[in-house]
């Protein structure tokens, strides 16, 4: 049994992670602002992580074997957490994102198209941190989501009081209504209505992961001893046409496409730049991934069922 603290953990794969930690016999503490109550038997600390004094007071004398941070988006939040948990945990795992590799959001090393991007492309130990940017401004944060994650990783990477690992997740799908971004629902709705799927002229592949598989990987990461970044994605990149054809098959429809001009936004998961991740490091460390095409039809069926459900 370990004592594990989850910051966030109130929805989607974070909630599932809490369930699996508890089922594995761990003593779990959840920290959030109180909008969603945790599972029975889970300790709940209601506090705003952005308030350092309140967070430190809420933690009191508690210590943990591992902290899993599901909701760290800025270097300011990371710095607060690094100070608050100094001396309170031996290991800190942050949930990050594939978007740290997006070449449209930073000057990154060039990766040949078709070559899976490895963790070394973004090294948090060398990434520059700028605390004085307007990270508290929601509009700024939304527009600089990838950079906020890169800089948050960098802050933790330099924390000396605990071992740090970051899980860079692919695009997460599955779970029907639980998939709160609505990206798969976008395809389900447009396909059933016979509406166009907008795509780039040369749409490049990306990678995905099922929310249950991501919860499994985070559970694994709490017990592992690796440090630094690890990519989390199912085997088998897909481009927007591959995805749409799976939705079309499940819906019994024919996909209709419209190509957008260069520079114009297209449907979710249509990318005009390459940053599909490699999951080789996680495999070497001992995690086994599913194939995207094994679970995606089921996730699509959930999205189609949700789009067909009455809305009254």
């Amino acid at each position: 049994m370990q004592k594990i603290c989850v910051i966030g953990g109130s929805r989607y794969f974070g909630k599932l992670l809490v369930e699996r930690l508890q089922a594995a016999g761990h003593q779990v503490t959840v920290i959030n602002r109180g909008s969603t109550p945790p599972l029975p038997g889970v300790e709940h600390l209601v506090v705003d992580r952005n308030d350092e004094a309140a967070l430190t007071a809420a933690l009191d004398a508690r210590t943990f074997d591992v902290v899993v941070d599901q909701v760290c988006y800025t270097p300011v939040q990371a710095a607060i957490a690094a100070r608050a948990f100094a001396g309170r945990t031996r290991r800190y795992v942050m949930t990050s994102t594939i978007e740290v590799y997006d070449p449209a959001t930073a000057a990154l090393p060039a990766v040949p198209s078709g070559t899976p991007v490895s963790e070394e492309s973004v090294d948090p130990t060398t990434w520059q941190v700028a605390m004085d940017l307007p990270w508290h401004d929601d509009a700024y944060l939304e527009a600089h989501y990838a950079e906020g994650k890169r800089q948050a990783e960098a802050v933790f990477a330099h924390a000396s009081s605990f071992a740090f690992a970051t899980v860079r997740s692919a695009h997460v799908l599955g779970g029907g209504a639980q998939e709160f971004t609505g990206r798969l629902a976008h395809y389900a709705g447009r396909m059933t209505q016979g509406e166009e799927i907008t795509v780039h002229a040369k749409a490049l592949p990306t990678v995905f992961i099922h929310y249950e598989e991501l919860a499994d990987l985070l559970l694994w990461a709490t017990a592992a001893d690796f440090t630094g970044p690890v990519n989390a994605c199912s085997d088998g990149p897909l481009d927007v046409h591959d995805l749409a054809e799976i939705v079309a098959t499940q819906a019994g429809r024919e996909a209709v496409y419209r190509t957008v001009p260069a520079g114009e936004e297209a449907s979710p998961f249509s990318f005009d730049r390459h940053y599909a991740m490699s999951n080789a490091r996680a495999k070497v460390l001992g995690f086994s991934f599913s194939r995207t095409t094994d679970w995606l039809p089921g996730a699509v069926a959930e999205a189609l069922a949700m789009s067909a459900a009455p809305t009254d």
Side-chain angles (χ1 to χ4, degrees), residues 12-157:
Y12 208 28
F13 59 86
K15 181 179 179 182
L16 184 57
L17 171 64
V18 171
E19 293 175 359
R20 294 193 172 173
L21 287 168
Q22 191 178 35
H26 299 302
Q27 182 179 328
V28 184
T29 297
V30 167
I31 294 176
N32 58 37
R33 290 179 292 186
S35 59
T36 305
L39 295 169
V42 171
E43 182 184 35
H44 190 197
L45 301 183
V46 179
V47 64
D48 184 347
R49 66 165 305 151
N50 298 306
D51 185 334
E52 185 170 354
L55 177 59
T56 302
L59 289 171
D60 195 22
R62 291 173 178 82
T63 60
F64 306 97
D65 295 296
V66 187
V67 175
V68 182
D69 195 340
Q70 298 279 73
V71 288
C72 189
Y73 303 108
T74 75
V76 176
Q77 291 177 324
I80 289 171
R83 290 190 293 266
F85 286 95
R88 286 190 169 94
T89 187
R90 61 171 179 79
R91 181 170 177 76
Y92 202 103
V93 179
M94 174 186 156
T95 303
S96 191
T97 174
I98 184 177
E99 294 188 37
V100 301
Y101 300 117
D102 186 350
T105 63
L108 300 173
V111 178
S113 184
T115 302
V117 181
S118 66
E119 291 84 353
E120 290 78 11
S121 290
V122 176
D123 181 353
T125 65
T126 62
W127 201 262
Q128 186 174 355
V129 173
M131 292 288 191
D132 57 348
L133 295 173
W135 295 115
H136 296 291
D137 183 289
D138 289 343
Y140 181 87
L141 180 55
E142 182 177 358
H144 297 84
Y145 172 72
E147 182 61 16
K149 285 288 194 179
R150 285 188 288 258
Q151 292 195 25
E153 288 187 19
V155 170
F156 284 127

Side-chain angles (χ1 to χ4, degrees), residues 243-286:
L243 174 63
E245 291 305 320
I246 290 173
V247 178
T249 298
Q250 293 288 106
R253 301 275 184 150
E254 185 172 337
V256 180
Y257 300 102
R258 177 175 67 83
T259 302
V260 300
E264 184 176 315
E265 188 173 353
S267 292
F269 310 129
S270 181
F271 294 102
D272 57 359
R273 54 205 184 274
H274 170 73
Y275 61 110
M277 300 187 299
S278 164
N279 60 14
R281 183 177 189 224
K283 288 180 177 178
V284 168
L285 290 168

